[in-house]
Amino acid sequence: MGNGLESIGLVGLAIATFVVSSLVEYWLHRLMHRYPHKCQFHVDHHLENTGQGVVGEFLDYGKVVVPVPALLMILSWKLGLSVLAGASTYAIFAAYAHQLQHDNPTRCFWMPMPVHYVHHKHNQWHHNFGLGVDWWDRVFGTYKPEEWLTPAELSQPQRSLLHVRWW
């Protein structure tokens, strides 16, 4: 019986880590806009308005994702793996969501407005910081709805959810 409860607790921890990872991503992105002189790569990203591909984005996010679970594994490998699972799952999702919003924003079905796409389209340096979710923009008052479905977006051919740059 204890193993079942422990498993539920570890799954819950992975889910909580997914949510916390989305919060960390939101604040890191927001800080990049607060201190652009410290983040030239991010300024370049805005100038180019492209992603690095899902794999490239994931590798960058991995630099933030791996250290904490690695330290937790010293205390408990189960705890560390659970946190790694939640953080890695969010990193994969955020990498995909980020690239999707650059390549195929009309397919971002889980948000009423693809916030990162709008963030770039309207050159927003103070709004819509989320990459994978819009929760934190709504919680912290940085969500700014915009008309984003213009004739340019509506005239794009319907493409698959997998139609993104992967490399």
Side-chain angles (χ1 to χ4, degrees), residues 65-141:
V65 167
V66 172
V68 172
L71 289 173
L72 287 175
M73 283 186 198
I74 294 169
L75 300 174
S76 161
W77 67 271
K78 288 180 182 179
L79 178 71
L81 283 178
S82 184
V83 170
L84 181 63
S88 296
T89 300
Y90 186 76
I92 291 165
F93 170 69
Y96 169 75
H98 181 241
Q99 195 64 46
L100 183 69
Q101 290 181 73
H102 280 284
D103 296 347
N104 199 358
T106 60
R107 300 299 286 184
C108 196
F109 65 87
W110 60 91
M111 290 187 277
M113 176 186 80
V115 288
H116 189 70
Y117 176 74
V118 169
H119 174 80
H120 277 268
K121 181 177 180 175
H122 295 284
N123 197 26
Q124 295 178 335
W125 279 75
H126 304 289
H127 300 285
N128 298 326
F129 296 105
L131 295 182
V133 296
D134 59 6
W135 311 325
W136 303 115
D137 283 301
R138 292 173 186 273
V139 167
F140 294 111

Side-chain angles (χ1 to χ4, degrees), residues 25-37:
E25 168 258 304
Y26 167 86
W27 277 104
L28 287 175
H29 189 197
R30 196 165 170 181
L31 286 171
M32 287 181 214
H33 284 265
R34 177 80 171 98
Y35 303 103
H37 58 283

Side-chain angles (χ1 to χ4, degrees), residues 1 16 49 69 130:
M1 189 76 167
N49 194 17

Side-chain angles (χ1 to χ4, degrees), residues 37-52:
H37 58 283
K38 302 246 186 225
C39 300
Q40 186 59 45
F41 69 93
H42 189 70
V43 172
D44 294 342
H45 168 66
H46 272 267
L47 293 172
E48 296 164 7
N49 194 17
T50 61
Q52 304 173 77

Side-chain angles (χ1 to χ4, degrees), residues 104-108 153-161 163:
N104 199 358
T106 60
R107 300 299 286 184
C108 196
E153 288 85 10
L154 292 171
S155 67
Q156 292 178 354
Q158 278 288 7
R159 296 175 289 182
S160 146
L161 285 167
H163 190 113

